[in-house]
Amino acid sequence: MTTISDNLSHIHQELTAYCQKYQRSTDEITLLCVSKTKPVESILEAYHAGERHFGESYAHEADDKIAAIKEQGYNDIIWHFIGPVQSNKTKIIAACFDIVESVDRIKIAERLNDQRPDGLPALQVLLQVNISDEEQKSGCSFEELPALIEFVQQKPRLKLRGLMGIAKETDDKAEIERSFARLNAEFQKYHAQLADFDMLSIGMTHDMEEAVKCGSTEVRIGTAIFGPREYKKKE
């Protein structure tokens, strides 16, 4: 029976091979373990295999799991919120997470800033861009990005770290690569201008190679680590 540790070993081997192929250092790329719908036990198995970055998409589910894990003394995990941010969930997200990767409009940024609890460091933020031009996908347009960047920079409880994008689900690798390359070009522009603007979150299981080629600093992997998602209830 294949374990989570086995899966992680395989993914790191793949990442290393892609980095060698495209002359990247493995130190440049973080593996984000997407643990949404997965139990605490699975998260801790990945933790004991060496992982420290975990991504969640459902605020209430994550709130319960994060609290349970911290109660067990695991306080060095970096928690990423990667799902669409609903206005009625910003208070939970602002209180529970270290990084929110899916900020795509001013209203959400403002609520996260205002609801970040005193005593916590500034909430790290990635801006999600709709790089596939699909109506059902979250994310701001490239045209809306400058105003959103300017707004977030003015918020004292937010710290702007970079950009996130989700490619179209297609077998056309060239199309995926074009969308990643366009986002990377935008990322590099701001990376040269802004302090600590150093995170480009692109790439999942099916397009990890294209993401590494196009400058990703973080890949988001879920099913290949934990197995199929288990949807019990919808928020």
Side-chain angles (χ1 to χ4, degrees), residues 128-135 137-142 166:
Q128 182 175 354
V129 182
N130 186 345
I131 61 174
S132 63
D133 290 324
E134 296 174 277
E135 287 186 8
K137 288 269 180 72
S138 299
C140 68
S141 67
F142 281 95
I166 301 173

Side-chain angles (χ1 to χ4, degrees), residues 33-39 43 55-58 61 65 82-83 226 228-231:
C33 303
V34 178
S35 50
K36 62 182 179 182
T37 80
K38 295 303 174 181
I43 295 172
E56 295 282 337
S57 296
Y58 305 114
E61 175 200 324
K65 289 196 291 189
I82 59 174
F226 297 108
R229 291 171 190 152
E230 302 159 18
Y231 292 105

Side-chain angles (χ1 to χ4, degrees), residues 19-33:
C19 285
Q20 291 173 345
K21 182 175 181 179
Y22 298 109
Q23 299 181 313
R24 302 277 312 276
S25 167
T26 54
D27 294 336
E28 298 174 9
I29 304 175
T30 298
L31 174 61
L32 178 62
C33 303

Side-chain angles (χ1 to χ4, degrees), residues 14 23 26 38 47 67 87 102 112 138-140 149 157 161 165 178 183 188 199 203 228:
E14 273 194 304
Q23 299 181 313
T26 54
K38 295 303 174 181
Y47 176 93
S87 295
S102 44
L112 290 171
S138 299
C140 68
I149 285 176
R157 307 298 297 149
R161 291 296 307 275
R178 283 193 298 271
L183 189 63
Q188 294 298 338
M199 292 180 66

Side-chain angles (χ1 to χ4, degrees), residues 9 31 36 45 48 50 52 75 79 82-83 104 108 130 142 144-145 148 150 154 163 167 174-175 181 209 212 221 235:
S9 178
L31 174 61
K36 62 182 179 182
E45 184 176 342
H48 290 301
R52 292 297 182 270
N75 294 307
W79 294 101
I82 59 174
D104 62 356
I108 293 300
N130 186 345
F142 281 95
E144 293 167 330
L145 186 59
L148 187 53
E150 185 177 352
Q154 296 169 356
L163 303 177
E175 182 177 357
E209 179 174 1
V212 172
I221 309 296
E235 290 199 7

Side-chain angles (χ1 to χ4, degrees), residues 8-225:
L8 284 165
S9 178
H10 177 72
I11 290 163
H12 280 292
Q13 289 172 8
E14 273 194 304
L15 261 179
T16 298
Y18 294 145
C19 285
Q20 291 173 345
K21 182 175 181 179
Y22 298 109
Q23 299 181 313
R24 302 277 312 276
S25 167
T26 54
D27 294 336
E28 298 174 9
I29 304 175
T30 298
L31 174 61
L32 178 62
C33 303
V34 178
S35 50
K36 62 182 179 182
T37 80
K38 295 303 174 181
V40 166
E41 294 75 21
S42 295
I43 295 172
L44 291 181
E45 184 176 342
Y47 176 93
H48 290 301
E51 304 305 324
R52 292 297 182 270
H53 292 263
F54 291 87
E56 295 282 337
S57 296
Y58 305 114
H60 287 296
E61 175 200 324
D63 187 17
D64 293 340
K65 289 196 291 189
I66 292 170
I69 288 171
K70 287 184 174 180
E71 283 174 8
Q72 295 185 49
Y74 299 98
N75 294 307
D76 59 341
I77 290 175
I78 308 300
W79 294 101
H80 301 237
F81 190 84
I82 59 174
V85 182
Q86 299 173 332
S87 295
N88 63 345
K89 303 288 175 34
T90 52
K91 187 173 182 179
I92 297 173
I93 294 167
C96 290
F97 286 87
D98 303 294
I99 302 174
V100 179
E101 301 199 5
S102 44
V103 175
D104 62 356
R105 55 197 188 278
I106 285 173
K107 176 185 177 182
I108 293 300
E110 186 165 37
R111 290 178 66 88
L112 290 171
N113 176 78
D114 294 347
Q115 295 174 328
R116 182 67 166 173
D118 293 337
L120 291 181
L123 182 63
Q124 298 178 65
V125 165
L126 303 186
L127 306 181
Q128 182 175 354
V129 182
N130 186 345
I131 61 174
S132 63
D133 290 324
E134 296 174 277
E135 287 186 8
Q136 72 273 23
K137 288 269 180 72
S138 299
C140 68
S141 67
F142 281 95
E143 292 73 25
E144 293 167 330
L145 186 59
L148 187 53
I149 285 176
E150 185 177 352
F151 183 84
V152 171
Q153 284 185 287
Q154 296 169 356
K155 294 300 166 183
R157 307 298 297 149
L158 302 180
K159 182 178 178 64
L160 183 61
R161 291 296 307 275
L163 303 177
M164 187 267 262
I166 301 173
K168 185 176 181 180
E169 287 192 35
T170 174
D171 293 329
D172 186 345
K173 300 294 188 181
E175 182 177 357
I176 292 172
E177 192 173 316
R178 283 193 298 271
S179 67
F180 282 164
R182 185 182 181 193
L183 189 63
N184 184 40
E186 201 73 10
F187 168 75
Q188 294 298 338
K189 180 174 73 176
Y190 288 105
H191 175 62
Q193 299 172 8
L194 305 176
D196 300 318
F197 194 94
D198 55 5
M199 292 180 66
L200 178 61
S201 178
I202 51 174
M204 297 186 285
T205 302
H206 66 285
D207 53 21
M208 184 164 60
E209 179 174 1
E210 290 74 29
V212 172
K213 181 179 181 180
C214 293
S216 175
T217 71
E218 176 190 274
V219 291
R220 308 179 303 272
I221 309 296
T223 302
I225 298 173

